[in-house]
């Protein structure tokens, strides 16, 4: 279908919540994707960190096709082999005690919010249901997840939010302790690197302080690793960089490598929070999505993760050398940077697309989340396009 027809269909029938960058993407392989005008792009966005194995990875594709021809769905009343194996692999690889499967990041966070409140009730009785999260965080768009999202711009027009959500500034342990001292808190949600917020990492010192405060007050530490997890930062979970074991970790994006799946990982302490009948979802633990995710976990072995770290170091150095680039921050294959005035990230994104490279934005910064399988030469190709685009601004 041609671009004009697609744009017309979109305008006529899709509710306009997204400002779309046409033309539409049609088909891809590896780190490259073609649009409806027949143009080819190197993709440094990977569908917002979703296509961790690139487009249409052979092994992943074979696994999901095989599973789709065997059993495409089984209710959670029965369960499924790919789901149980995925849960086992996640527990073995992360040290988690138990897993709940959802269908998206938002849903994983919703489950984590319910679990946290139930934990507060079980451990401390009523009145321990407050949830603290960071300003400028992003946890999703449904009411629980949006209430935890510390961005009034996203919440305005949709109030009221759920009660008892409060926000603290990044890096401020005193503000956090003040909230904990109120005695009504059950959980603290954080992203190790704020993704949508601009690719902004928390410091190891702050995180050490956070873990000891959570322990001291028996407050669950919930890590939203929906964007940072599954090898994105060069370790299976970003928590490994800091030597932290959160009580609850939420996953989604890269886990399915392109199919919708989310997961909540519980440690032993938090796993008491969800029992029979406490939570559910029809599509959760879908066997096709789980078969794909099993391939992702298998591929993300130590050697693969080391390679992501190596590529990340190269990318960081290359970004630092670019003209007019400010404030390069990130880890592994998750990077963000700003541009010196009067250049804008939005303009750079557009200019990169014109030159055959897809990049993402996060607030007023450029965000790079290339597929984890990207080669050294593809990385270099992308960086040289970014450089060309910046230089073209004059
Ligand atoms: C994308 C994202 C979410 C929301 O996930 P969805 O799958 O879009 O619902 C939540 N938290 C973080 C950190 C994310 O990056």
């Amino acid at each position: 279908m041609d671009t004009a027809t697609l744009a017309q269909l979109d305008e006529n029938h899709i509710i306009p919540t997204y400002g779309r960058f046409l033309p539409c993407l049609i088909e891809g392989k590896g780190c490259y994707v073609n649009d409806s005008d027949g143009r080819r792009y190197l993709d440094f966005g990977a569908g917002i960190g979703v296509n961790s194995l690139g487009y249409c990875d052979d092994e992943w594709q074979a696994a999901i096709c095989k599973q789709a021809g065997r059993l495409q769905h089984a209710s959670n009343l029965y369960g499924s082999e790919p789901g149980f194996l995925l849960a086992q692999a996640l527990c073995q690889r992360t040290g988690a005690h138990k897993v709940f499967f959802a269908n998206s990041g938002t849903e994983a966070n919703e489950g984590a919010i319910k679990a946290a409140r139930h934990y507060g009730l079980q451990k401390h009785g009523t009145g321990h249901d407050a949830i603290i999260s960071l300003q400028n965080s992003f946890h999703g768009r449904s009411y629980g997840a949006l209430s935890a999202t510390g961005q009034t711009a996203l919440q305005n027009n949709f109030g009221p939010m759920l009660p008892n959500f409060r926000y603290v500034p990044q890096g401020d342990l005193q503000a956090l302790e003040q909230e904990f001292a109120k005695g009504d808190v059950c959980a603290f949600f954080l992203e190790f690197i704020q993704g949508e917020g601009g690719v902004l990492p928390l410091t190891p010192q702050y995180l050490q302080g956070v873990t000891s405060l959570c322990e001291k007050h028996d407050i669950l530490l919930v890590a939203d690793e929906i964007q940072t997890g599954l090898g994105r930062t060069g370790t299976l979970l970003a928590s490994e960089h800091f030597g932290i074991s959160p009580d609850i970790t939420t996953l989604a994006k890269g886990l399915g490598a392109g199919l919708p799946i989310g997961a909540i990982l519980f440690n032993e302490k938090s796993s008491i929070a969800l029992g029979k009948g406490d939570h559910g979802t029809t599509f959760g633990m879908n066997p096709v999505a789980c078969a794909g995710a099993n391939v992702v976990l298998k591929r993300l072995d130590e050697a693969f993760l080391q390679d992501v770290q190596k590529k990340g170091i190269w990318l960081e150095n290359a970004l630092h050398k670019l003209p007019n680039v400010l404030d390069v921050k990130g880890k592994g294959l998750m990077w963000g940077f700003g541009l010196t005035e009067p250049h804008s990230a939005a303009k750079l994104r557009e200019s990169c697309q014109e030159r055959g490279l897809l990049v993402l934005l996060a607030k007023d910064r450029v965000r790079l989340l290339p597929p984890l399988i990207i080669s050294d030469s593809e990385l270099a190709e992308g960086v040289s396009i970014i450089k060309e685009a910046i230089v073209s601004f004059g």
Side-chain angles (χ1 to χ4, degrees):
M1 224 177 258
D2 64 85
T3 301
T5 311
L6 289 164
Q8 201 62 58
L9 285 172
D10 186 7
E11 190 183 323
N12 289 350
H13 305 294
I14 306 284
I15 202 100
T17 54
Y18 281 90
R20 252 189 274 282
F21 307 128
L22 290 166
C24 270
L25 302 180
I26 300 289
E27 61 183 345
K29 189 71 190 167
C31 297
Y32 290 89
V33 61
N34 294 342
D35 73 13
S36 46
D37 283 344
R39 294 199 54 201
R40 184 170 184 254
Y41 304 94
L42 176 59
D43 187 359
F44 268 28
I48 317 195
V50 167
N51 300 325
S52 46
L53 303 179
Y55 289 97
C56 306
D57 175 82
D58 290 337
E59 194 186 355
W60 173 84
Q61 195 186 337
I64 64 171
C65 288
K66 186 171 168 208
Q67 186 57 44
R70 198 173 178 217
L71 180 80
Q72 83 277 27
H73 168 79
S75 159
N76 276 295
L77 297 170
Y78 305 95
S80 78
E81 189 179 309
F84 295 157
L85 289 174
L86 178 60
Q88 181 189 44
L90 283 168
C91 288
Q92 283 172 352
R93 296 283 301 275
T94 67
H97 184 62
K98 291 279 167 68
V99 178
F100 179 90
F101 287 116
N103 309 293
S104 69
T106 298
E107 276 185 57
N109 283 337
E110 288 295 325
I113 290 165
K114 279 180 68 179
R117 287 191 158 168
H118 195 201
Y119 179 88
L121 179 69
Q122 285 169 305
K123 286 291 288 278
H124 307 293
T126 51
H128 294 87
D129 52 24
I131 291 182
I132 311 299
S133 58
L134 290 172
Q135 289 168 7
N136 195 50
S137 55
F138 184 82
H139 298 295
R141 301 281 202 154
S142 62
Y143 270 103
L146 185 59
S147 299
T149 292
Q151 301 191 50
T152 46
L154 300 182
Q155 296 173 337
N156 288 344
N157 304 334
F158 302 101
M161 294 294 113
L162 293 188
N164 286 349
F165 281 78
R166 303 195 296 266
Y167 316 98
V168 292
Q170 254 199 63
D172 187 342
L173 285 170
Q174 228 174 354
L176 187 65
E177 175 132 50
Q178 260 169 31
E179 291 301 337
F180 285 4
K182 291 175 184 164
D184 64 347
V185 177
C186 62
F188 178 44
F189 278 62
L190 57 74
E191 299 155 85
F192 291 110
I193 304 175
Q194 289 187 339
E196 302 304 310
V199 193
L200 305 173
L202 298 174
T203 65
Q205 301 88 303
Y206 177 67
L207 287 165
Q208 286 315 318
V210 166
T211 42
S212 45
L213 283 177
C214 285
E215 269 164 34
K216 181 175 154 198
H217 295 267
D218 192 13
I219 284 164
L220 294 181
L221 178 59
V222 183
D224 177 343
E225 292 231 40
I226 289 162
Q227 197 159 148
T228 56
L230 279 310
R232 177 51 57 191
T233 69
T235 46
L236 192 64
L237 298 179
S239 56
E240 296 167 43
H241 291 298
F242 307 101
I244 288 177
S245 315
D247 298 301
I248 294 176
T249 296
T250 54
L251 300 172
K253 294 200 165 86
L255 176 59
L259 286 182
I261 182 171
I264 314 173
L265 310 181
F266 296 91
N267 68 3
E268 193 158 6
K269 176 168 124 176
S270 66
S271 67
I272 60 162
L274 292 180
K276 206 154 283 175
D278 280 341
H279 199 47
T281 171
T282 298
F283 289 115
M285 199 162 71
N286 173 268
V288 178
C290 290
N294 277 318
V295 172
V296 173
L297 276 184
K298 184 179 144 224
R299 290 278 281 284
L300 266 53
D301 62 13
E302 271 316 304
F304 184 103
L305 293 169
Q306 291 266 314
D307 204 40
V308 171
Q309 291 192 18
K310 224 176 66 198
K311 287 182 280 201
I313 291 164
W314 184 89
L315 183 56
E316 177 179 20
N317 286 330
L319 292 174
H320 274 296
K321 286 188 201 130
L322 293 178
N324 300 324
V325 159
L326 286 175
D327 232 8
V328 176
K329 285 184 178 159
K331 195 103 189 152
L333 287 173
M334 176 174 189
W335 290 95
F337 59 87
L339 291 167
T340 53
E341 296 270 346
H343 307 305
S344 82
K347 190 90 187 305
L348 182 63
R349 189 212 65 75
E350 198 183 318
S351 177
C352 285
Q353 182 165 348
E354 283 163 11
R355 290 160 203 277
L357 176 74
L358 303 181
V359 301
L360 297 165
L361 300 175
K363 296 276 173 74
D364 58 353
R365 286 157 62 76
V366 178
R367 175 172 41 153
L368 308 180
L369 301 172
L372 305 180
I373 52 137
I374 196 163
S375 70
D376 295 348
S377 63
E378 287 162 340
L379 261 189
E381 181 189 343
V383 169
S384 81
I385 295 174
I386 295 171
K387 184 172 178 182
E388 252 178 55
I390 294 173
V391 168
S392 78
F393 291 161

